[in-house]
């Protein structure tokens, strides 16, 4: 959770950006999303208002022209970034949004929900184009591979029941490729890692069990695990510069992690 005292009147719950751009988007419990320019001072440059409950997910289109937001009000909204106008809105009963991810190079958004469903939305009409087979637990987070071929989601759970990440084939929507099991509490974030020359594709997950795990995407083998003692539940992951990850925790801030795949080694190098 990030506090934005300059504009939001309640805590931020999601932050997103367009890669290669200076624009940053923050979603808050105050029901709004704000757009910031990192080179434009300390005030937001656009506001998006239209949800009735906390905004719990956001995703920026690959060209940066549109923003998709989701909320605990069961609705998704599609926005014009420049004007702040709501272009489309669609609500589905019990669709409490947990996360959104735009499919690279396309017009679709993947969405996870507290109703245990994973949905693929066509943003040209903001209609659900397909759904994945429901999981046994709440789906907490999603990511899409850079080539747009695969989707990764992760599950709520406890005592090792649930707590998994799942790889889906977007070319055969609803086709589960494999699962990654090993966390003992809810998996809170999942991430496709940037490709490393000569190495198999890899994934990362974080969990409320205070650990980050690195996985071989193809074999589902856990390559290495780092437990951040005293951190409390881990809430999110992001790719940093080459070979590094950022991990947010409840108790000890943001952790900078260094990954050496050739040595199957993950270690903490700094915290903020």
């Amino acid at each position: 959770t990030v506090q934005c005292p300059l504009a939001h009147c309640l805590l931020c719950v999601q932050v997103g950006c367009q890669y290669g751009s200076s624009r940053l988007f923050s979603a808050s419990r105050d029901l709004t999303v704000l757009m910031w320019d990192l080179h434009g001072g300390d005030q937001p440059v656009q506001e998006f208002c239209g949800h009735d409950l906390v905004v719990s997910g956001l995703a920026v289109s690959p060209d940066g022209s549109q923003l998709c937001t989701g909320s605990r009000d069961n609705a998704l909204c599609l926005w014009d970034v420049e004007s702040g106008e709501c272009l489309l809105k669609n609500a589905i009963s019990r669709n409490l949004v947990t996360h959104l991810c735009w499919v690279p190079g396309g017009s679709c958004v993947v969405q996870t929900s507290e109703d245990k469903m994973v949905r693929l939305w066509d943003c040209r009409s903001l209609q659900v184009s397909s759904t994945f087979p429901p999981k046994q637990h709440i789906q907490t987070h999603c990511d899409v591979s850079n080539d747009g071929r695969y989707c990764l989601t992760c599950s709520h759970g406890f005592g090792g029941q649930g707590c998994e990440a799942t790889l889906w084939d977007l070319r055969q929507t609803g086709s589960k490729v494999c699962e990654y099991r090993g966390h003992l509490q809810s998996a809170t974030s999942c991430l496709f890692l940037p490709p490393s020359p000569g190495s198999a594709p890899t994934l990362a997950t974080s969990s409320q069990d205070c650990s980050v795990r690195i996985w071989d995407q193809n074999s589902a083998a856990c390559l290495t695990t780092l437990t951040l003692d005293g951190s409390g539940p881990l809430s999110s992951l992001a790719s940093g510069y080459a070979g590094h990850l950022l991990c947010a925790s409840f108790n000890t801030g943001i952790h900078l992690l260094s990954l050496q795949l050739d040595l199957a080694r993950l270690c903490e190098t700094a915290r903020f």
Side-chain angles (χ1 to χ4, degrees), residues 218-266:
N218 297 329
S219 70
C222 181
L223 303 177
T224 185
T225 302
L226 174 65
T227 300
L228 297 169
D229 293 328
S231 67
L234 304 180
S235 58
S236 63
L237 286 172
S239 290
Y241 58 93
H244 288 79
L245 291 170
L246 292 168
C247 179
S249 68
F250 270 55
N251 296 339
T252 50
I254 297 174
H255 302 253
L256 178 63
L257 311 180
S258 175
L259 174 63
Q260 294 176 282
L261 274 177
D262 55 338
L263 301 175
R265 182 171 181 264
L266 183 67

Side-chain angles (χ1 to χ4, degrees), residues 7-67:
H8 286 301
C9 59
L10 294 174
L11 294 179
C12 295
V13 294
Q14 290 276 338
V15 176
C17 66
Q18 179 197 1
Y19 291 107
S21 167
S22 63
R23 288 175 169 176
L24 182 73
F25 299 83
S26 58
S28 171
R29 292 184 182 275
D30 66 10
L31 318 187
T32 69
V33 174
L34 297 177
M35 180 171 72
W36 310 78
D37 189 329
L38 298 179
H39 304 307
D42 59 4
Q43 292 299 313
V45 296
Q46 188 60 270
E47 183 178 38
F48 308 90
C49 300
H51 285 292
D52 300 319
L53 291 173
V54 56
V55 182
S56 49
L58 60 84
V60 188
S61 66
D63 65 2
S65 66
Q66 295 182 328
L67 174 71

